[in-house]
Amino acid sequence: MSTPEIRDTRAAYRDALIEEHASYVRAGRTAAAEHVARVLLAEYDHDVTPAAPAAEPEPEPVKETAAAEPAPERAVEAPPVKKTAAARKTTARRPAGN
């Protein structure tokens, strides 16, 4: 009879914190990301900050055009809007004999 495999909860918790830090960075929540980074460094001796700032690749040049693209043509034109006259206001008639 073999013994069941015991899960390394410390490693699982560390991995969860690493993923949490990455999600905070993607969401732009720098304060929360910094807090989780400090916990990872203090408790697990794991540094999530990049070792050296990587050189950013140069952006590709944007192809410029002389004119903006025309709006797409419609296959069916919109139906014309009907103009209706506003209802006339009438005053209530008094019954005869008053």
Side-chain angles (χ1 to χ4, degrees):
M1 185 173 193
S2 66
T3 60
E5 209 173 299
I6 297 176
R7 180 177 175 205
D8 185 4
T9 56
R10 185 165 170 82
Y13 191 68
R14 183 193 67 228
D15 294 342
L17 283 173
I18 292 169
E19 180 57 35
E20 181 179 0
H21 176 267
S23 69
Y24 285 148
V25 170
R26 284 191 304 268
R29 297 180 60 188
T30 56
E34 289 172 4
H35 173 73
V36 173
R38 285 192 302 268
V39 170
L40 279 166
L41 190 58
E43 297 293 322
Y44 298 96
D45 197 30
H46 182 83
D47 191 10
V48 290
T49 57
E56 292 186 25
E58 280 195 36
E60 295 181 21
V62 178
K63 181 181 175 184
E64 295 183 21
T65 57
E69 293 183 25
E73 295 182 24
R74 292 184 175 196
V76 178
E77 292 192 21
V81 178
K82 293 182 179 180
K83 293 183 181 180
T84 56
R88 288 190 284 156
K89 292 184 179 179
T90 58
T91 57
R93 294 187 182 163
R94 293 188 183 179
N98 279 347

